Amino acid sequence: MVKVMVVEDQAMPRQLFEAFVQNSPDYRLVYSIKNADMADIYCEKSRIDLILMDICTQMNASGLEAARRIKEKHPEIKIIIVTSMPEVSYIKRAKAAGADSFWYKEISEQTILELMDRTMAGESVYPDCTPVVDFGLTDSRNFTERELDVLRELTSGDTNLQIGERLGMSKNTVRDYIQTMLEKTGFRSRTELAVKARESGIVILDRRTENRE
């Protein structure tokens, strides 16, 4: 019997995950929690074989950071990252954290139980790419990785100088990247660019996880 912990702060997906696990003869639900910062503590209390880990959890706790901590101490525990957010760096960051598999809640062709079975059988299952997000006059495929780095930092509301200091570039270079993205999207200002980025989920700022990379 595979012992499962669900880490999910939204009520509906958490209840769905719980039902999937409880209705399967192969899995047993041990814990269901809302805050990823507590996940490694629960791993010390009882044997856990598999974790379904959301990325954005209660009190802004990062599931990616929790996965990294758990894998460092308990590499035998299988972790499936689950998310509804299309942040373009999440797949790469989940792999860096050591997560075994990755599942998009809304668009995955296979069910979570299928992915759980494959992961427990030793497979590492990841999507080929992130979902394409429409963004102004263009979409997420038409941005370079560096542009997306700037866009992610732009959502903080910081100045070009502050963003440049974090990314290792001059404030003028930051300004040029922002201008290029304004031209691509058709948005009228850096503020609109940042607001639309947050609303779309194309980038999500999480410095606790990013600083680990």
Side-chain angles (χ1 to χ4, degrees):
M1 182 73 68
V2 176
K3 296 186 176 181
V4 180
M5 175 164 63
V6 172
V7 184
E8 168 65 69
D9 65 334
Q10 294 184 326
M12 185 172 293
R14 185 174 68 253
Q15 290 166 6
L16 285 174
F17 291 149
E18 290 170 356
F20 278 131
V21 173
Q22 290 168 338
N23 291 331
S24 170
D26 300 319
Y27 297 94
R28 175 187 169 195
L29 183 66
V30 180
Y31 299 114
S32 183
I33 64 174
K34 300 178 182 179
N35 188 323
D37 281 346
M38 300 297 293
D40 44 341
I41 297 174
Y42 280 93
C43 288
E44 300 299 327
K45 294 178 63 175
S46 300
R47 193 194 95 199
I48 303 292
D49 301 308
L50 173 66
I51 302 174
L52 305 181
M53 180 83 76
D54 193 13
I55 294 179
C56 303
T57 72
Q58 191 178 65
M59 299 178 67
N60 295 319
S62 168
L64 294 172
E65 178 67 9
R68 181 197 62 80
R69 292 196 306 267
I70 291 167
K71 277 296 190 178
E72 285 182 352
K73 196 165 187 180
H74 300 284
E76 74 283 359
I77 296 178
K78 302 291 188 181
I79 299 178
I80 300 175
I81 295 294
V82 297
T83 186
S84 59
M85 303 304 294
E87 216 292 352
V88 293
S89 70
Y90 276 169
I91 291 177
K92 177 182 176 181
R93 289 159 63 186
K95 290 179 179 179
D100 298 274
S101 297
F102 192 106
W103 190 75
Y104 283 113
K105 297 175 188 175
E106 276 83 16
I107 65 170
S108 293
E109 295 182 359
Q110 59 185 324
T111 69
I112 188 63
L113 274 178
E114 290 173 331
L115 190 63
M116 290 163 63
D117 289 343
R118 292 177 64 185
T119 301
M120 291 309 300
E123 289 189 63
S124 180
V125 187
Y126 273 80
D128 294 330
C129 59
T130 57
V132 175
V133 179
D134 291 331
F135 194 54
L137 299 177
T138 185
D139 63 50
S140 53
R141 295 170 296 186
N142 293 320
F143 293 91
T144 67
E145 186 171 347
R146 204 55 171 157
E147 285 172 343
L148 291 167
D149 288 342
V150 172
L151 183 60
R152 189 177 295 108
E153 293 291 340
L154 185 65
T155 63
S156 69
D158 288 341
T159 65
N160 290 354
L161 178 60
Q162 292 169 317
I163 293 171
E165 287 175 347
R166 287 197 293 272
L167 296 179
M169 61 178 67
S170 71
K171 64 178 183 180
N172 289 338
T173 300
V174 173
R175 179 201 62 200
D176 292 343
Y177 275 119
I178 292 171
Q179 182 59 40
T180 298
M181 288 188 284
L182 288 173
E183 292 170 359
K184 288 182 178 182
T185 60
F187 296 140
R188 293 165 293 180
S189 68
R190 60 183 286 133
T191 300
E192 185 179 13
L193 185 64
V195 169
K196 296 296 185 181
R198 284 196 295 267
E199 290 176 350
S200 70
I202 187 174
V203 288
I204 297 173
L205 188 62
D206 180 4
R207 292 204 183 107
R208 291 191 309 169
T209 303
E210 289 171 354
N211 288 341
R212 291 285 184 178
E213 297 177 356

